[in-house]
Amino acid sequence: MKIVSRIKLPIDKEMELFEKKFSQSMSSKVSLLNRITHYVVNRKGKQMRPMFVFLIAKMTGQGNVNERTYRGASVIELIHTATLVHDDVVDDSNRRRGFFSINALWKNKIAVLVGDYLLSKGLLLSIDNNDFDLLKIISVAVREMSEGELLQIEKARKLDITEEVYFEIIRQKTATLIAACCAMGARSVMAPDDEVEKMRKFGELIGTAFQIKDDLFDYGNEHIGKPTGIDIKEQKMTLPLIYALNNASPKDKKWLINSVKNHNKDKKRVNEVIAFVKNNGGLEYAVTRMKDYQQEALQLLDSYPNSPYKESLELMVNYVIDRKK
């Protein structure tokens, strides 16, 4: 059985029902909008985020979920989808998960409006049901994601990213949404505040490990379709590169910064940067840090009794850093 199917096993029924509820939560009186949201729903990914919501809810709620859990998962997915739609416009991207993006098929104006619609649907789903505690969790996540993106853009101009700033960027950009999923799952079943915070931290740790793994893919992986050096071409300072920079001689440092800033479209130069990072311990360092976050996340699960939900969450933590794409 595939690893994702094994993770999903204890929440199969919930995920099936969630998909129906999620489709309903997108419905509109405007046929164009329904056509577009139908396109979105039919091209879903692995749905890791709702899986986190249900697994955490069942682990912290003695195996039970409720309507709030379904609404929480729907809100997360609506808002996550809205951010992806907007991201594709910002990045001028024509593909998403191997399919045409909304802006490629329906143009930017419609894509931005669809993103706004999904965002408002997510907020209203919480407000209409008085789930203000759940609304706060997701609103904080949206604010942090926006700040993280802008911080990364600001730093890319100067290339003055320290390791501390890098971790702050990925905490906000990537980890904060997974943290919100985990906090949402616990909060939906009325877990106490300290437990909600513990699960939020768990999600943040996994999200950070997930992003470091993504950074490592930029340095080559035979299983992934993504070409190497994309981050360097986009002047994104990732952990392997930051480590190599911080430990380089002044001469090499100058060459690295000049390469990333002024020669990032030169394939030969990009490959030289990749080789430098590999030869100077950048990848090993990033792998070590990633495993630290993985172990810290697993330790947070130690206090829970064994259950199929805990087992799936442990599988999920390991899958995040063992995945091939």
Side-chain angles (χ1 to χ4, degrees):
M1 191 188 285
K2 278 188 172 176
I3 183 78
V4 177
S5 303
R6 276 175 64 201
I7 294 167
K8 221 175 185 176
L9 205 56
I11 50 163
D12 258 341
K13 285 179 186 157
E14 285 81 5
M15 287 299 290
E16 211 173 301
L17 184 53
F18 161 73
E19 286 188 24
K20 288 176 190 158
K21 287 177 183 282
F22 180 57
S23 295
Q24 287 163 5
S25 69
M26 281 192 178
S27 66
S28 155
K29 293 190 179 81
V30 180
S31 59
L32 171 63
L33 202 43
N34 283 334
R35 202 155 73 242
I36 295 170
T37 54
H38 179 73
Y39 179 81
V40 170
V41 170
N42 285 345
R43 277 146 195 82
K44 62 183 183 295
K46 294 187 186 80
Q47 294 189 302
M48 300 303 253
R49 287 160 192 85
M51 282 160 67
F52 271 121
V53 176
F54 288 111
L55 286 169
I56 296 280
K58 292 197 112 178
M59 184 179 75
T60 56
Q62 283 75 51
N64 299 311
V65 298
N66 54 39
E67 282 304 314
R68 270 166 55 87
T69 316
Y70 286 99
R71 288 197 297 270
S74 292
V75 167
I76 288 273
E77 203 65 348
L78 282 164
I79 299 220
H80 173 58
T81 308
T83 61
L84 294 183
V85 171
H86 283 162
D87 278 353
D88 287 341
V89 175
V90 170
D91 297 338
D92 202 15
S93 174
N94 290 325
R95 311 287 288 187
R96 167 70 61 184
R97 296 189 187 117
F99 296 97
F100 283 115
S101 59
I102 290 177
N103 49 301
L105 293 172
W106 285 281
K107 305 296 176 220
N108 282 351
K109 184 176 181 179
I110 288 176
V112 169
L113 292 170
V114 168
D116 291 347
Y117 172 78
L118 295 172
L119 196 61
S120 65
K121 272 291 202 183
L123 300 177
L124 284 167
L125 185 59
S126 295
I127 292 165
D128 290 346
N129 292 283
N130 293 326
D131 295 330
F132 297 110
D133 52 347
L134 303 186
L135 181 60
K136 184 174 181 183
I137 290 170
I138 192 63
S139 299
V140 168
V142 173
R143 182 194 71 201
E144 297 222 309
M145 285 156 68
S146 309
E147 283 180 352
E149 284 285 358
L150 289 163
L151 178 60
Q152 185 171 52
I153 290 167
E154 179 192 320
K155 293 296 178 183
R157 288 176 179 165
K158 295 180 186 169
L159 298 188
D160 60 346
I161 294 192
T162 60
E163 204 172 297
E164 193 183 347
V165 171
Y166 163 83
F167 279 111
E168 182 57 16
I169 288 171
I170 67 169
R171 184 191 69 75
Q172 290 185 315
K173 262 189 67 180
T174 306
T176 196
L177 190 61
I178 297 175
C181 296
C182 296
M184 192 81 92
R187 176 64 77 198
S188 74
V189 292
M190 301 304 188
D193 289 351
D194 60 337
E195 193 168 21
V196 173
E197 173 52 28
K198 186 178 176 180
M199 291 299 96
R200 188 203 65 75
K201 183 67 183 168
F202 171 77
E204 194 177 274
L205 291 164
I206 296 179
T208 304
F210 180 92
Q211 187 56 54
I212 297 172
K213 180 70 173 184
D214 257 17
D215 290 354
L216 287 163
F217 284 140
D218 203 47
Y219 289 87
N221 183 319
E222 67 278 12
H223 298 284
I224 194 165
K226 177 184 170 184
T228 54
I230 291 279
D231 290 336
I232 295 165
K233 287 172 189 139
E234 292 176 359
Q235 297 191 14
K236 281 182 187 163
M237 299 293 281
T238 59
L239 191 56
L241 180 57
I242 291 166
Y243 177 83
L245 258 175
N246 288 344
N247 292 278
S249 67
K251 185 185 168 200
D252 286 338
K253 195 170 188 174
K254 196 177 171 186
W255 174 80
L256 274 170
I257 289 174
N258 184 32
S259 301
V260 176
K261 216 167 192 171
N262 304 313
H263 302 281
N264 53 47
K265 302 286 185 281
D266 178 342
K267 206 170 180 182
K268 182 173 175 284
R269 192 76 169 254
V270 168
N271 286 336
E272 285 171 1
V273 171
I274 289 171
F276 183 91
V277 171
K278 283 180 175 176
N279 294 334
N280 287 274
L283 302 194
E284 288 91 340
Y285 178 74
V287 168
T288 302
R289 291 304 305 269
M290 176 179 73
K291 288 184 174 172
D292 289 344
Y293 281 99
Q294 175 206 23
Q295 289 311 312
E296 211 182 319
L298 288 170
Q299 279 165 14
L300 286 178
L301 297 178
D302 282 349
S303 58
Y304 289 94
N306 287 334
S307 69
Y309 323 114
K310 177 182 172 180
E311 204 177 303
S312 279
L313 285 164
E314 287 169 342
L315 275 174
M316 185 91 97
V317 175
N318 295 325
Y319 168 70
V320 158
I321 74 159
D322 294 335
R323 66 199 166 98
K324 300 289 183 268
K325 62 180 178 178

